[in-house]
Amino acid sequence: MTTATTEALRLTERINRIEPSATMAVVAEADKLRQQGIDVVDFGAGEPHFATPQHIKDAGIAAIQGNFTKYTAVAGTAELRDAIAHRHHVDFDSDYRREEVIASTGGKHALFNAIQVLVDHGDEVILPVPYWVSFKDIIRYAGGNCVLLESDETQGFRVTAEMVAQLITPRTKAIILNSPSNPSGAVMSPEDMTEVIRLAHQRGIWVLSDECYVYLNYTGKNFSVGSLREYKERMVVLGSLSKTYAMTGWRMGFVLGPAAVVAGINKLQSHTTSNPTSITQKAAIEALRGPQESVAIMLAEYRRRRDYVIGRLRKMPGVKAQEPRGAFYAYPNVSAAFQKGISSSLEFSEKLLAEEHVAVVPGEAFGTAEHIRLSYATSMKELERGLDRIERFIKARV
Ligand SMILES: Cc1ncc(COP(=O)(O)O)c(C=O)c1O
C-alpha cells in the first residue's frame, strides 16, 4: 500500500481506542461453523429465545396499519415517556416526570448517550469486575478511564460502599452499577446499593445504574435505584425492554435522570438517530401499560433453566459455579480444566467451539481470566445437549 493510501485509510484515534464486542465475535464464529453445516449449540448470545408476547406484536402491527410511521419527537412521544415513567413508578415507587425521561434505540444506545453526556476526557469511571463488555469500550470512546473494582467470586462478586470508597480520587466522575449483572448474575442487595448511592451522593459522583435485567431477579426483591428519590440529582437509571419483554430486535431502551442530563442526551440524539422507531414506540407503550403476566412466566422458566444449568455445572469435575441470582447467565470458574494445551478462558472457549461445537463467551471479555459465560436463555433441549458436550470436554482434561 502506498503511503498516500495508508494515510487516507487512517481511522480516528477514538475508534482505535475500542474493540469490537467480544460477545458479537462469538456469535459470528458460531455462525461460520453453522454455515458449514456443523451442529453448533449456542450459549453465546444474550437474548431471550421466547417470542415477543402477542399483545405487544399486535400493537406494532396496528401502528403500521394506522400509518404511525413518521418521525416523532426525538425523545419519543409524550405517551411513551409517560408510560415509561408510569411503569417505573408502579414497580419501584420512583417519581420521574416526563422531562426526566428519554427513549432511545435500545439500552446500549441509552448507555452510550448517557456516557457521552457525562464523561469527559481524563475522567475516571469506577467499573466493577466482571463487567459487561460494552461498558469499558463506551467509556473509553468518550475519553474516560476505567478504574476497575475487583470483587471476590466466593463472596458472590459483592460490591460494597467501602470497596468503592477506596477507589475514589479527585478525577472520579461516575460509578457504574449493573444489578442483576451481566455476566455474573450477581444481584446487589438493596442495602449495599443504597450505601453506594449515599456515598456517591456525598462525594459528588454520578451513579449510572444499568437496570436492563431488573425484572429478571430470582430473589423476589426487584430493586431500582430510582426508588431512592432523595439521591435523584446525581443518578441515571438505564433501562431496556429487550430482555424484560423478549423485544431485543425492536430496539427500545431509556434513560431516567435529571432533566439537564436528559436534555443533553436529547441534543446528541437529535443529531444521530433522532427518535426510536415509531412502530416500536407503540409496541413499547403496550408492553409497559398492558398485562405484565408474560414477565413472570418467562422469569419462572429462566429459573427452572438456571437450576438445571447450575446443578449440572456443579457436578462437573473442578468446576466452581456460583448461583446466579438474576439475569440469564451462568459464570462458572473453569480454571481446573486449564491443562492439556489450555491456559486461559479464551483458549478454553476456542477449543470448546472447535472440538465440541459449543459457543460460550470467554471471561476475558468481562475482565476475568478463569470463567466462561453461558447464556441459559435457550431451550431445555439445547441446554441438555450443550452441557453434555461441555461435561465431556472437561472430563477429558480434569
Ligand atoms: C448489562 C446490559 N446492559 C444493556 C444491554 C443492552 O440491551 P439492548 O441494547 O438490547 O437494550 C445489555 C444487552 O445485552 C446488557 O447485558
Side-chain angles (χ1 to χ4, degrees):
M1 219 184 286
T2 64
T3 317
T5 341
T6 323
E7 197 57 28
L9 281 180
R10 207 175 63 204
L11 306 182
T12 59
E13 179 272 324
R14 66 182 173 280
I15 198 67
N16 286 328
R17 240 182 265 153
I18 65 173
E19 289 157 25
S21 160
T23 42
M24 298 291 183
V26 174
V27 175
E29 193 52 39
D31 269 352
K32 222 189 278 170
L33 291 180
R34 241 185 248 113
Q35 276 160 21
Q36 294 165 22
I38 295 170
D39 165 32
V40 176
V41 177
D42 191 355
F43 293 155
E47 90 174 327
H49 77 297
F50 296 111
T52 305
Q54 190 60 44
H55 66 108
I56 301 175
K57 291 198 281 195
D58 289 343
I61 292 164
I64 296 175
Q65 299 293 10
N67 295 317
F68 193 74
T69 52
K70 304 282 167 64
Y71 291 132
T72 72
V74 167
T77 61
E79 194 190 0
L80 173 64
R81 295 164 85 188
D82 289 351
I84 292 170
H86 167 79
R87 181 83 265 143
H88 211 266
H89 169 71
V90 169
D91 294 341
F92 303 110
D93 193 34
S94 60
D95 65 345
Y96 290 99
R97 292 167 294 125
R98 188 184 297 164
E99 55 273 32
E100 297 169 315
V101 181
I102 179 164
S104 300
T105 307
K108 216 179 241 187
H109 185 212
L111 174 71
F112 184 88
N113 286 344
I115 302 252
Q116 285 297 325
V117 165
L118 289 173
V119 176
D120 252 325
H121 273 271
D123 283 348
E124 292 177 359
V125 180
I126 298 175
L127 181 60
V129 180
Y131 47 76
W132 176 49
V133 50
S134 293
F135 291 134
K136 177 174 63 68
D137 290 288
I138 293 177
I139 292 164
R140 282 197 185 155
Y141 191 73
N145 296 323
C146 298
V147 175
L148 300 181
L149 191 166
E150 299 293 341
S151 60
D152 183 348
E153 176 178 10
T154 61
Q155 301 298 310
F157 296 112
R158 184 173 176 207
V159 171
T160 64
E162 293 79 66
M163 292 160 81
V164 174
Q166 285 174 10
L167 297 180
I168 295 176
T169 75
R171 298 245 49 171
T172 308
K173 187 67 184 281
I175 168 157
I176 304 270
L177 298 180
N178 176 214
S179 172
S181 151
N182 174 8
S184 70
V187 170
M188 286 181 79
S189 69
E191 295 73 26
D192 281 350
M193 257 188 152
T194 306
E195 284 305 312
V196 172
I197 304 275
R198 194 175 290 146
L199 171 73
H201 190 80
Q202 278 167 2
R203 308 289 291 267
I205 294 163
W206 285 92
V207 173
L208 278 80
S209 182
D210 183 330
E211 303 186 355
C212 133
Y213 297 96
V214 73
Y215 293 99
L216 298 184
N217 182 329
Y218 310 109
T219 69
K221 280 190 271 179
N222 292 2
F223 182 75
S224 167
V225 298
S227 65
L228 303 170
R229 298 177 180 197
E230 64 273 40
Y231 302 123
K232 251 173 95 174
E233 74 197 46
R234 285 243 173 230
M235 223 160 58
V236 173
V237 175
L238 302 146
S240 167
L241 273 63
S242 288
K243 324 281 173 164
T244 314
Y245 301 106
M247 289 180 74
T248 42
W250 295 79
R251 314 307 300 131
M252 176 54 65
F254 57 86
V255 169
L256 303 172
V261 173
V262 165
I265 293 176
N266 200 330
K267 188 161 63 164
L268 175 62
Q269 195 161 289
S270 76
H271 294 298
T272 53
T273 56
S274 297
N275 59 275
T277 308
S278 58
I279 301 152
T280 295
Q281 292 192 48
K282 285 289 190 192
I285 292 165
E286 174 58 28
L288 296 161
R289 295 245 186 215
Q292 300 295 305
E293 282 80 28
S294 58
V295 181
I297 293 169
M298 288 191 272
L299 180 67
E301 273 303 316
Y302 288 136
R303 180 196 291 273
R304 208 162 69 83
R305 283 158 215 201
R306 174 199 69 167
D307 292 347
Y308 174 72
V309 170
I310 296 299
R312 287 284 312 262
L313 287 169
R314 284 183 174 167
K315 288 201 193 99
M316 295 181 197
V319 173
K320 286 180 271 176
Q322 297 285 325
E323 180 173 80
R325 300 198 302 151
F328 43 54
Y329 307 102
Y331 200 57
N333 185 319
V334 293
S335 55
F338 289 2
Q339 39 192 307
K340 300 190 188 157
I342 296 181
S343 60
S344 66
S345 327
L346 186 62
E347 286 172 9
F348 180 100
S349 308
E350 283 168 355
K351 280 215 158 55
L352 181 66
L353 185 59
E355 289 177 21
E356 292 287 353
H357 306 143
V358 178
V360 299
V361 185
E364 282 88 345
F366 311 103
T368 71
E370 300 190 331
H371 304 80
I372 53 169
R373 191 195 76 175
L374 284 77
S375 163
Y376 53 85
T378 184
S379 70
M380 277 305 266
K381 189 166 149 265
E382 283 301 276
L383 291 175
E384 280 166 23
R385 273 169 15 98
L387 287 161
D388 287 348
R389 295 181 188 188
I390 294 177
E391 186 166 13
R392 190 166 54 204
F393 183 80
I394 289 178
K395 276 189 173 159
R397 287 178 170 79
V398 180

